[in-house]
Amino acid sequence: MRPHLLPDIHDWPVYILAKNRAEFVDKVIQDMEVQVERVGAGELDQMLSKTIFQERQRVKSNPWKADPPNESLFFKKLQREYNENKESHDSFQKNKQTASRLIHRYVEEISGSFNIPTFQFARKTLTWFFHFLYYPINFSTFSGIKKKIERLEKCMIINGQIEVVRQLFKDHTIILVPTHSSNLDSILVGYMVDTFGGLPAFSYGAGLNLFDSEFFAFFMNRLGAYRVDRRKKNQIYLHTLSTYSRLLAERGVNTIFFPGGTRSRSGEVEGKLKLGLLNSMVLAQRNLLQRRDPRKIIIVPVVIGYESVLEARSLILQHLKTTGQEKFITKERPSPISEYLHFIWGLLKKSSSVYLTFGTPLDVFGNIVDAHGNSLDHNGKPVHLGDYFKREGEFVHDAQRESIYTKELAEAIAREYKKNNFILPAHFVAFSAFKMYKEIHNQQDDINIVQSPEEEFSLPLADYKVYCKKLLAKMMVLQNQGKAYMSDRMLQDFDQVIEEGIRRVGVFHNRKVLMISNMEIITEDLIALYFYYNKLRNLEDDLKDIAEEEYQSLM
């Protein structure tokens, strides 16, 4: 367990922000109002008109419990106000006032806080929760918090560039950008970086839908979360959210956000990322450089590796319905109460692990950042960030150029995801089993395969092991090339790798994802197997490119 960098919570940036919340909210509003001032009369009129229409439609067709009170009345009044503005001789000025009211509402909705007693209570509660989740119930369940943390450290593991990140934390602003596959991700990353990474709590963006639960809302409102409503696609809201994120970074508040935007429904590690909040980091870096502030915005890709994702089946069904459309006909039926009881029993009696793999720290242009905070190009030579924003020696705002920087940053993050997609035995056996079955049925696409009866899925154990040995040797080649990252558990006795993987993949599901029966590899849940296969799908092309002579010596 690493010592805390800032043992006193009062020194944490997220607490200092909360202490000055009102002043920060005013700063976001003022910044947004400056942006509105720069917009032409016609453009502002169009933005307001479209925003009010979209928001009234949203309130009517897709309301959430977590929505601010009196939304329908607010937007009804805003519509009336906008209509009156159009009749005014000074409609532009009136529209700016209307936009300001809307911005006030959005900023208050987005802004969170941080409460020390709540955080300390959450620390203890989450220790109990994760111990319950990752360890079977036994005598250790009733041990003290310290013993629980010691045990959790063995199954909630941080690896990768964590020590470099700790060193950079002292002088720079750290932005963690994890992969996203579960509703647990926010609290899990927050808990692990605090408890096992020794880093102060991060501010983080949480989907507004999570605030539907009063229980979770109580904690998230007091633990540094700011709300993100993905239903809102209008320009005013998106600019407000981006401005909030940018000003957090400029203030030195370390932040977690998921650049994939939402959970990966397919189970794949994200390859295409949302650019909005990443672009706000580019803008924040430009502003810091213009103010001659030496701090860098450091982007740290983080890959979350679960052996079992609680929502795996529901997520992959959503993915299949979206991608397969009329080709995918779900076989789902309502689950009997016995299945829920079986699931709870599984949580009580089974154990699992989760890994956070910290990738290479990057600057906002996708350059590698070393432990001393130096940005290095692909040849390892130092680069000066100010040069990216200057023209003829002067800082200039060039939206098109900065959008290109944002795309390059997103591509660099995606490469880090792929390279640091930590391979566990559970991932390996699911990937190899589905891949082998696909190759046997090479005339069928994935949609057809996952809809075939589970009884038809069968692989001779001896053939499967031969296939796995070949695949493992290829993955070792990729690791040697820096294109893959395998757990040490992949290097244990081969039969142990297969046994452990089959036992632990999707361990919390009611139906076994993989099992051995009569010397055959079979599944009770082909759709869930497909979800876990997708975890390593981003290696497919690289595996195809490996020549036989490259891996034969490793078999």
Side-chain angles (χ1 to χ4, degrees):
M1 201 156 46
R2 298 166 182 86
H4 237 285
L5 293 178
L6 296 175
D8 188 346
I9 296 179
H10 295 87
D11 296 331
W12 291 5
V14 70
Y15 170 74
I16 296 168
L17 175 78
K19 193 169 65 170
N20 301 296
R21 181 183 185 276
E23 180 264 330
F24 182 73
V25 165
D26 286 344
K27 173 62 178 169
V28 178
I29 292 168
Q30 289 166 17
D31 199 297
M32 275 300 298
E33 287 176 343
V34 169
Q35 293 180 50
V36 169
E37 285 285 344
R38 297 187 188 129
V39 174
E43 187 180 352
L44 179 59
D45 184 85
Q46 193 175 24
M47 283 171 63
L48 270 177
S49 174
K50 192 172 182 180
T51 296
I52 295 169
F53 173 77
Q54 289 177 337
E55 289 291 65
R56 294 190 74 184
Q57 290 295 112
R58 174 186 61 79
V59 170
K60 188 185 298 183
S61 62
N62 191 19
W64 285 350
K65 186 179 176 183
D67 287 333
N70 305 318
E71 278 221 303
S72 180
L73 181 60
F74 174 80
F75 285 108
K76 189 175 180 180
K77 286 182 176 179
L78 210 67
Q79 178 73 70
R80 188 163 57 242
E81 185 176 308
Y82 168 73
N83 292 340
E84 291 170 358
N85 293 351
K86 290 182 78 71
E87 303 300 321
S88 170
H89 68 279
D90 193 8
S91 61
F92 184 35
Q93 191 62 37
K94 294 283 187 181
N95 275 345
K96 285 193 285 189
Q97 293 170 5
T98 301
S100 181
R101 260 186 284 282
L102 182 57
I103 290 163
H104 271 75
R105 187 177 182 89
Y106 281 158
V107 176
E108 284 294 344
E109 175 190 320
I110 292 167
S111 301
S113 191
F114 184 85
N115 178 274
I116 291 177
T118 304
F119 176 78
Q120 291 171 329
F121 175 76
R123 256 182 176 170
K124 294 178 182 177
T125 303
L126 288 174
T127 299
W128 278 86
F129 171 75
F130 285 122
H131 193 276
F132 165 80
L133 184 63
Y134 288 116
Y135 274 101
I137 283 201
N138 54 31
F139 290 115
S140 70
T141 306
F142 307 100
S143 61
I145 291 292
K146 187 176 178 182
K147 278 287 183 188
K148 282 185 170 62
I149 291 173
E150 288 174 0
R151 284 170 61 80
L152 282 174
E153 194 172 16
K154 297 173 184 175
C155 65
M156 301 181 78
I157 299 160
I158 296 179
N159 55 22
Q161 302 294 315
I162 179 62
E163 295 304 332
V164 176
V165 172
R166 281 171 57 85
Q167 192 165 335
L168 290 169
F169 197 98
K170 301 166 189 174
D171 301 310
H172 304 286
T173 303
I174 303 296
I175 310 295
L176 296 185
V177 287
T179 56
H180 196 11
S181 58
S182 171
N183 281 329
L184 275 180
D185 291 346
S186 291
I187 59 172
L188 181 132
V189 174
Y191 178 80
M192 288 183 69
V193 298
D194 167 53
T195 306
F196 307 120
L199 300 174
F202 283 61
S203 177
Y204 61 98
L208 186 64
N209 58 306
L210 299 178
F211 291 76
D212 274 352
S213 163
E214 292 183 12
F215 175 79
F216 286 115
F218 174 85
F219 286 100
M220 288 191 290
N221 280 327
R222 294 162 176 79
L223 294 176
Y226 62 90
R227 304 171 193 84
V228 179
D229 189 345
R230 295 187 180 91
R231 296 169 302 169
K232 296 186 175 83
K233 307 293 185 185
N234 69 79
Q235 281 185 281
I236 296 175
Y237 177 79
L238 295 176
H239 280 304
T240 304
L241 181 62
S242 177
T243 300
Y244 187 93
S245 173
R246 171 175 60 78
L247 290 172
L248 280 180
E250 289 182 29
R251 290 250 173 150
V253 179
N254 308 285
T255 304
I256 300 168
F257 67 80
F258 300 99
T262 184
R263 291 172 296 166
S264 170
R265 265 55 181 176
S266 67
E268 294 178 68
V269 168
E270 296 92 333
K272 293 183 179 179
L273 308 180
K274 306 285 185 183
L275 302 181
L277 293 181
L278 291 179
N279 182 251
S280 69
M281 297 300 103
V282 176
L283 302 183
Q285 186 65 80
R286 171 164 51 81
N287 291 345
L288 289 174
L289 288 165
Q290 281 187 281
R291 295 201 293 264
R292 298 188 178 180
D293 189 320
R295 285 178 299 127
K296 279 185 179 175
I297 310 293
I298 307 290
I299 311 295
V300 183
V302 178
V303 178
I304 306 175
Y306 295 99
E307 292 178 317
S308 184
V309 176
L310 297 177
E311 313 101 294
R313 188 171 178 82
S314 63
L315 289 171
I316 194 64
L317 281 171
Q318 291 173 45
H319 170 71
L320 290 168
K321 288 172 187 175
T322 301
T323 57
Q325 298 181 0
E326 71 278 356
K327 287 177 62 179
F328 180 72
I329 303 170
T330 179
K331 301 176 288 185
E332 289 300 282
R333 52 176 176 75
S335 299
I337 188 68
S338 60
E339 287 200 11
Y340 291 108
L341 294 174
H342 188 266
F343 170 71
I344 293 170
W345 180 249
L347 285 180
L348 295 174
K349 297 302 292 179
K350 297 173 183 176
S351 62
S352 188
S353 297
V354 61
Y355 288 75
L356 289 190
T357 304
F358 280 63
T360 304
L362 307 169
D363 63 28
V364 297
F365 309 105
N367 299 309
I368 290 172
V369 178
D370 68 17
H372 305 291
N374 301 309
S375 291
L376 307 173
D377 66 15
H378 61 279
N379 293 317
K381 294 181 180 178
V383 294
H384 302 287
L385 301 194
D387 295 342
Y388 284 87
F389 296 111
K390 289 179 179 179
R391 187 177 297 142
E392 296 179 358
E394 297 294 327
F395 281 97
V396 294
H397 171 55
D398 186 330
Q400 184 176 4
R401 182 175 64 177
E402 289 167 9
S403 71
I404 293 171
Y405 295 155
T406 304
K407 289 176 184 175
E408 290 173 346
L409 172 60
E411 289 167 1
I413 293 169
R415 287 195 297 272
E416 285 295 311
Y417 284 168
K418 182 179 178 181
K419 186 172 71 175
N420 293 286
N421 189 15
F422 198 59
I423 303 171
L424 296 166
H427 304 151
F428 175 72
V429 297
F431 178 72
S432 55
F434 196 91
K435 182 175 170 61
M436 181 178 176
Y437 191 74
K438 271 180 69 173
E439 290 176 9
I440 293 170
H441 299 80
N442 59 3
Q443 298 302 314
Q444 295 190 43
D445 63 18
D446 292 359
I447 299 294
N448 288 329
I449 289 175
V450 298
Q451 291 187 99
S452 59
E454 275 83 5
E455 298 79 29
E456 293 183 6
F457 185 97
S458 178
L459 301 170
L461 180 60
D463 293 349
Y464 174 68
K465 285 188 174 182
V466 170
Y467 186 87
C468 284
K469 281 185 177 178
K470 179 178 175 181
L471 199 58
L472 180 58
K474 286 186 174 185
M475 287 185 178
M476 287 179 180
V477 172
L478 292 184
Q479 178 162 266
N480 293 338
Q481 294 173 349
K483 295 178 180 179
Y485 187 7
M486 288 196 293
S487 163
D488 288 344
R489 285 155 60 184
M490 292 293 297
L491 306 177
Q492 61 187 325
D493 177 75
F494 178 74
D495 286 333
Q496 279 186 281
V497 172
I498 302 301
E499 184 277 327
E500 178 186 323
I502 290 173
R503 175 168 45 86
R504 297 177 78 97
V505 61
V507 67
F508 296 135
H509 300 326
N510 287 334
R511 289 171 264 180
K512 290 187 180 295
V513 176
L514 280 178
M515 58 191 294
I516 299 174
S517 176
N518 298 323
M519 302 303 289
E520 299 280 327
I521 298 289
I522 64 172
T523 181
E524 294 179 341
D525 195 341
L526 189 51
I527 286 175
L529 176 62
Y530 181 57
F531 177 90
Y532 291 104
Y533 154 77
N534 282 334
K535 172 68 173 168
L536 301 183
R537 191 170 192 156
N538 62 355
L539 297 178
E540 289 270 23
D541 290 340
D542 289 332
L543 289 168
K544 286 178 188 174
D545 293 339
I546 298 174
E548 188 172 346
E549 59 269 16
E550 292 183 82
Y551 67 83
Q552 277 293 343
S553 63
L554 298 172
M555 288 184 66

